């Protein structure tokens, strides 16, 4: 199955470079490009891509607002693509807010070409791109900046619906462990870990792994800077 992708970035050279790289893959098809968030939303609504590569900082409409519009569309719009944020900086409040809005992860623009190709495939498959250690640092940095008294206490109450094992799994997700690493840590089969993750997401009404990490920090399950 071919993965349909659009690229939204205000730099023409970046769009051209990414498009050439991705189009060379037999399982990826570039179906559109846009120089700003507003046009990116329009192109996405027209072409129905599987994945949107979205730059964070752009004129007219930035990537954060565009991601929000794509992931929380108005009534009557049913298509919701996966959104992968692109950034020049490894710590950016826009990226954090995009993850909270439902983006599937983010990638540095200077990442190796193989990482970009892999990221598109991972996100298209419904996984969150959370492997890079910089992602964990970014989330921890912004969770640290939010005083506990200002966090939404209902998040902590919602966590009460998880079993002890599901809570353990959520904590390890937030620590950045892969399914295989979680399985090894808890001495479980990897398929069992996947089942637990599915239940965690369903009980907490979260879209994906990215939102699970955000939830774990903001609910206080995981403390910034913790082991």
């Amino acid at each position: 199955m071919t993965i349909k992708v659009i690229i939204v970035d205000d730099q023409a050279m970046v769009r051209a470079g990414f498009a050439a790289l991705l189009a060379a893959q037999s399982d990826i098809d570039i179906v559109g490009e846009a120089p700003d968030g507003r046009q990116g939303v329009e192109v996405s609504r027209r072409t129905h891509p599987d994945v949107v590569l979205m730059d964070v900082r752009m004129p007219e409409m930035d990537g954060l607002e565009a991601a929000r519009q794509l992931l929380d569309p108005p009534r009557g719009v049913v298509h919701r693509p996966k959104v992968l944020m692109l950034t020049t900086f490894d710590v950016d409040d826009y990226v954090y807010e995009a993850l909270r809005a439902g983006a599937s992860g983010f990638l540095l623009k200077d990442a190796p070409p193989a990482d970009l190709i892999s990221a598109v495939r991972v996100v298209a498959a419904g996984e969150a791109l959370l492997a890079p250690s910089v992602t964990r640092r970014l989330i921890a940095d912004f969770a640290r900046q939010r005083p506990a008294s200002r966090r939404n206490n209902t998040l902590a109450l919602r966590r009460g619906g998880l079993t002890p094992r599901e809570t353990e799994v959520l904590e390890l997700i937030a620590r950045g462990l892969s399914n295989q690493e979680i399985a090894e840590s808890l001495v479980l089969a990897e398929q069992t870990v996947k089942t637990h993750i599915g239940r965690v997401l369903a009980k907490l009404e979260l879209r994906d792994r990215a939102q699970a990490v955000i939830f774990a920090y903001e609910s206080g399950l995981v403390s910034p800077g913790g082991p």
Side-chain angles (χ1 to χ4, degrees):
M1 180 178 177
T2 301
I3 302 169
K4 297 191 295 182
V5 177
I6 68 170
I7 303 168
V8 185
D9 194 293
D10 61 336
Q11 299 181 50
M13 289 291 287
V14 170
R15 297 199 306 274
F18 283 4
L21 175 65
L22 294 173
Q25 311 305 309
S26 60
D27 60 335
I28 298 176
D29 185 17
I30 304 300
V31 297
E33 299 178 17
D36 60 63
R38 191 178 308 282
Q39 292 185 54
V41 172
E42 294 173 356
V43 172
S44 178
R45 297 263 165 82
R46 186 172 66 249
T47 61
H48 292 183
D50 300 300
V51 178
V52 177
L53 293 179
M54 182 78 73
D55 188 21
V56 172
R57 301 177 184 275
M58 293 180 290
E60 297 296 326
M61 179 187 291
D62 63 28
L64 173 58
E65 179 57 30
R68 284 173 174 157
Q69 291 194 17
L70 290 177
L71 296 169
D72 186 20
R75 180 174 299 181
V77 177
V78 297
H79 178 255
R80 296 188 185 187
K82 303 294 184 182
V83 177
L84 179 61
M85 305 302 295
L86 301 170
T87 180
T88 306
F89 308 101
D90 61 0
V91 176
D92 192 310
D93 58 340
Y94 282 88
V95 177
Y96 177 82
E97 292 299 333
L99 289 174
R100 294 188 70 209
S104 295
F106 78 96
L107 190 70
L108 297 179
K109 285 187 178 182
D110 60 359
D115 285 4
L116 174 64
I117 297 169
S118 175
V120 169
R121 290 170 176 157
V122 166
V123 170
E127 296 292 330
L129 193 69
L130 295 172
S133 61
V134 66
T135 303
R136 298 193 296 275
R137 187 172 76 249
L138 177 144
I139 293 172
D141 284 346
F142 279 90
R144 185 182 297 112
Q145 292 174 23
R146 292 165 177 262
S149 61
R150 293 179 58 191
R151 294 177 187 163
N152 188 346
N153 291 332
T154 60
L155 292 179
L157 295 175
R158 286 169 58 199
R159 200 177 75 223
L162 301 184
T163 66
R165 178 62 84 189
E166 289 164 354
T167 301
E168 285 183 297
V169 169
L170 175 57
E171 181 176 355
L172 293 177
I173 290 174
R175 300 291 184 200
L177 273 65
S178 66
N179 287 358
Q180 181 177 348
E181 291 169 334
I182 294 173
E184 293 172 355
S185 176
L186 299 179
V187 194
L188 297 171
E190 191 169 345
Q191 184 58 49
T192 301
V193 171
K194 291 180 180 178
T195 298
H196 283 313
I197 292 174
R199 289 173 179 166
V200 168
L201 298 181
K203 286 184 177 181
L204 299 178
E205 299 180 1
L206 302 173
R207 271 181 57 121
D208 55 26
R209 221 178 169 104
Q211 289 199 328
V213 174
I214 295 290
F215 176 91
Y217 276 102
E218 293 197 332
S219 68
L221 175 63
V222 178
S223 300

